[in-house]
């Protein structure tokens, strides 16, 4: 599935500037966690401001229900959802809302593969002066594994299945909790909001 997101002129220009490096990064790491952009477009409607938008892969590309969502930045300052936000079924929780005992990602030996990919991706972002991105985490609570698996089969090319990083999507489109003991979960994740360049103006804000 796809996500369409509007961009402003600065974000649009920044994406075009880093496009060559982005392409090279995606070639080197086909299962990169940064957004998979499929299109970058602009529409000019007479009498209105130009509308710019990108089309990208949905991080939660699955038929499984995402029961819990987190937008994580590795910071505790202002990083909590309000009580009003938590009342909504679509609420995205933040760093201070995480229940470590319930939702902490347990991946066994595959953890090292994920950490290595995060390091590759964050180095690419740092090299391009990108700031303010987030780690988006979705959690599916597995109640009936056979039913969930039947509903979430994905078509994956053999060349992708051969990669160590295939484990990111090998379990119903995500990564299943490991070791599996009692009620288990499947994790869906990606790095989002990468079009904010760390300019002098942003440096002044921080």
């Amino acid at each position: 599935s796809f996500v369409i997101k509007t961009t402003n002129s600065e974000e649009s220009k920044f994406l075009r500037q880093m496009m060559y490096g982005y392409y090279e990064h995606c070639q080197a790491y086909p299962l990169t966690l940064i957004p998979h952009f499929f299109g970058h477009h602009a529409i000019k409607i007479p009498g209105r401001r130009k509308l710019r938008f990108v089309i990208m892969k949905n991080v939660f590309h699955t038929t499984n229900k995402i029961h819990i969502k987190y937008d994580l930045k590795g910071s505790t300052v202002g990083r909590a959802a309000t009580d009003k936000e938590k009342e909504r079924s679509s609420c995205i929780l933040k760093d201070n809302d995480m229940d470590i005992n319930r939702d902490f990602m347990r991946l066994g030996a595959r953890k090292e593969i994920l950490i290595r990919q995060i390091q590759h991706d964050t180095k690419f972002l740092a090299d391009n002066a990108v700031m303010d991105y987030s780690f988006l985490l979705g959690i599916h609570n597995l109640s009936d594994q056979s039913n969930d698996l039947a509903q979430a089969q994905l078509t994956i090319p053999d060349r992708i299945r051969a990669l160590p990083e295939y484990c990111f999507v090998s379990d119903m489109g995500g990564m299943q909790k490991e070791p599996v003991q009692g009620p288990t979960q499947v994790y869906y994740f990606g790095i989002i909001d990468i079009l904010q360049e760390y300019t002098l103006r942003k440096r002044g804000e921080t």
Side-chain angles (χ1 to χ4, degrees), residues 94-137:
K94 300 178 182 178
D95 301 69
N96 291 336
D97 302 312
M98 176 165 273
D99 185 330
I100 297 297
N101 295 318
R102 183 191 65 184
D103 299 329
F104 188 76
M105 296 177 71
R106 293 174 172 83
L107 301 173
R110 298 175 300 171
K111 178 180 70 174
E112 297 304 320
I113 300 174
L114 176 59
I115 290 175
R116 184 169 65 242
Q117 187 58 54
I118 290 175
Q119 290 172 337
H120 290 315
D121 291 337
T122 53
K123 181 180 185 305
F124 167 77
L125 296 176
D127 289 346
N128 284 275
V130 176
M131 62 160 291
D132 205 31
Y133 51 85
S134 298
F135 185 82
L136 184 64
L137 170 65

Side-chain angles (χ1 to χ4, degrees), residues 3-199:
V3 172
I4 299 176
K5 182 177 181 180
T6 58
T7 61
N8 59 37
S9 58
E10 290 182 354
E11 292 170 333
S12 179
K13 180 180 178 181
F14 182 54
L15 176 58
R16 295 196 303 272
Q17 288 175 341
M18 72 171 186
M19 186 55 67
Y20 179 79
Y22 170 82
Y23 173 80
E24 292 292 316
H25 185 78
C26 291
Q27 286 291 101
Y29 307 105
L31 289 168
T32 175
L33 302 181
I34 64 176
H36 292 225
F37 293 113
F38 299 126
H40 177 214
H41 308 275
I43 299 175
K44 184 67 173 72
I45 302 174
R48 296 189 180 183
R49 185 175 298 178
K50 183 183 290 186
L51 176 66
R52 300 174 177 86
F53 61 94
V54 292
I55 302 173
M56 53 191 173
K57 180 182 176 182
N58 187 355
V59 172
F60 302 143
H61 179 54
T62 177
T63 56
N64 286 336
K65 180 178 180 181
I66 304 299
H67 296 103
I68 306 168
K69 301 175 185 176
Y70 286 102
D71 180 306
L72 304 171
K73 288 185 179 294
S75 171
T76 58
V77 180
R79 298 296 298 162
T82 65
D83 291 338
K84 187 173 182 179
E85 288 173 334
K86 290 179 181 178
E87 293 175 358
R88 304 183 198 137
S89 59
S90 60
C91 176
I92 298 180
L93 301 173
K94 300 178 182 178
D95 301 69
N96 291 336
D97 302 312
M98 176 165 273
D99 185 330
I100 297 297
N101 295 318
R102 183 191 65 184
D103 299 329
F104 188 76
M105 296 177 71
R106 293 174 172 83
L107 301 173
R110 298 175 300 171
K111 178 180 70 174
E112 297 304 320
I113 300 174
L114 176 59
I115 290 175
R116 184 169 65 242
Q117 187 58 54
I118 290 175
Q119 290 172 337
H120 290 315
D121 291 337
T122 53
K123 181 180 185 305
F124 167 77
L125 296 176
D127 289 346
N128 284 275
V130 176
M131 62 160 291
D132 205 31
Y133 51 85
S134 298
F135 185 82
L136 184 64
L137 170 65
I139 300 174
H140 170 68
N141 295 318
L142 207 56
S143 56
D144 186 336
Q145 182 171 344
S146 60
N147 287 343
D148 288 339
L149 182 58
Q151 295 173 4
Q153 295 289 351
L154 299 176
T155 302
I156 306 293
D158 290 340
R159 65 182 182 84
I160 299 298
R161 291 180 183 273
L163 298 173
E165 295 81 15
Y166 172 63
C167 66
F168 301 162
V169 296
S170 62
D171 302 322
M172 304 162 231
M175 288 182 81
Q176 188 171 348
K177 175 183 173 183
E178 190 179 291
V180 178
Q181 295 177 345
T184 189
Q185 299 169 317
V186 179
Y187 308 116
Y188 301 88
F189 46 81
I191 297 173
I192 63 171
D193 297 335
I194 70 166
L195 298 181
Q196 181 60 69
E197 185 179 13
Y198 193 49
T199 60

